[in-house]
Amino acid sequence: MAARKAVKQELTKEIIMESARELFSAEGYRNISMRKIASELGYSHGSIYYHFKSKAELFYAMVQSDFRMLDEVLDAIMAENDLTDEDKLRKVMLGYIEFGLTYQSHYEVMFLIKDEEVKSYLAEEPNKSYEKFAQAVYKLSGGNADVSQIWSIFLALHGFVTHYIKIDMDLEVSKEMADRHARFLTVSLLRST
């Protein structure tokens, strides 16, 4: 029996999820196996199964974690007391864009992976997160934004992030445009309500 290879760090759920996220983002859910994730990390696949029973469980844990991160961005902005509602609304929109462009592989896993096998894992978390976003926009618009306006704002933000991810631009390169987009959406929403 060959001696076991020494590992550089203790394998944690977070390390596994980060490696899997990059692989899922680059190659799609269907093309990645637990063995491939383990190989990428330099561990046996049994080490991965110690933390996650299946690829689906791993994927769901990632999605939950990623949406929790996005929700924390929104919660932090909503907790700020020194901003007007209009400034806070713009900051919510900019925060969404900044999250998507800063954590591109997270965003791709959360919103852009299309695979029947994971469809059920992508129903609950996005809906809860969107509801939190919608409630914030509704509140910050003075209760005047309707469902279709809030959905249109979300789609405009999602389209912006998706476009810049697809052309491989990060937040630093697109920061000015992101700010302009958030301002435009904020002013447009408030004028139409």
Side-chain angles (χ1 to χ4, degrees):
M1 184 184 278
R4 190 163 172 209
K5 170 170 101 171
V7 293
K8 296 176 186 153
Q9 59 189 1
E10 180 182 341
L11 190 61
T12 64
K13 285 185 172 190
E14 289 73 26
I15 291 170
I16 295 167
M17 288 192 299
E18 191 57 39
S19 179
R21 184 179 293 109
E22 294 298 324
L23 290 168
F24 289 145
S25 176
E27 300 180 35
Y29 179 84
R30 190 174 303 266
N31 298 321
I32 302 301
S33 66
M34 295 292 264
R35 285 185 186 274
K36 187 163 189 167
I37 296 165
S39 175
E40 189 75 20
L41 289 167
Y43 286 85
S44 71
H45 66 284
S47 302
I48 305 292
Y49 282 109
Y50 174 78
H51 294 282
F52 298 100
K53 293 177 188 161
S54 66
K55 181 171 78 166
E57 182 183 298
L58 166 58
F59 185 83
Y60 187 62
M62 269 186 346
V63 168
Q64 283 183 309
S65 173
D66 294 348
F67 275 105
R68 196 168 27 254
M69 284 175 59
L70 179 57
D71 288 348
E72 287 169 3
V73 169
L74 180 61
D75 290 341
I77 294 166
M78 292 303 288
E80 292 183 34
N81 293 322
D82 59 338
L83 297 174
T84 66
D85 283 354
E86 182 176 341
D87 288 339
K88 201 179 276 193
L89 181 60
R90 184 190 59 77
K91 199 166 181 182
V92 163
M93 293 182 197
L94 188 57
Y96 183 91
I97 292 170
E98 288 176 350
F99 175 86
L101 295 180
T102 301
Y103 302 103
Q104 291 186 13
S105 60
H106 295 68
Y107 194 88
E108 287 184 284
V109 167
M110 293 162 70
F111 292 105
L112 302 176
I113 287 184
K114 293 190 296 185
D115 190 294
E116 285 300 315
E117 194 174 338
V118 296
K119 207 175 212 175
S120 65
Y121 293 107
L122 291 173
E124 187 176 336
E125 298 306 319
N127 289 342
K128 286 192 300 190
S129 189
Y130 174 76
E131 186 59 33
K132 183 180 275 246
F133 170 83
Q135 288 173 1
V137 171
Y138 180 77
K139 178 182 177 193
L140 296 172
S141 72
N144 295 319
D146 66 32
V147 172
S148 65
Q149 289 170 317
I150 295 169
W151 181 243
S152 293
I153 293 291
F154 172 77
L155 290 177
L157 294 169
H158 176 65
F160 184 95
V161 172
T162 302
H163 171 74
Y164 280 94
I165 287 174
K166 292 297 180 190
I167 62 172
D168 203 23
M169 279 196 182
D170 64 12
L171 180 60
E172 276 311 306
V173 176
S174 60
K175 186 128 177 105
E176 184 180 333
M177 204 56 196
D179 188 56
R180 286 182 184 180
H181 191 61
R183 285 181 191 282
F184 172 77
L185 293 173
T186 301
V187 169
S188 298
L189 177 66
L190 294 176
R191 280 188 185 156
S192 69
T193 57

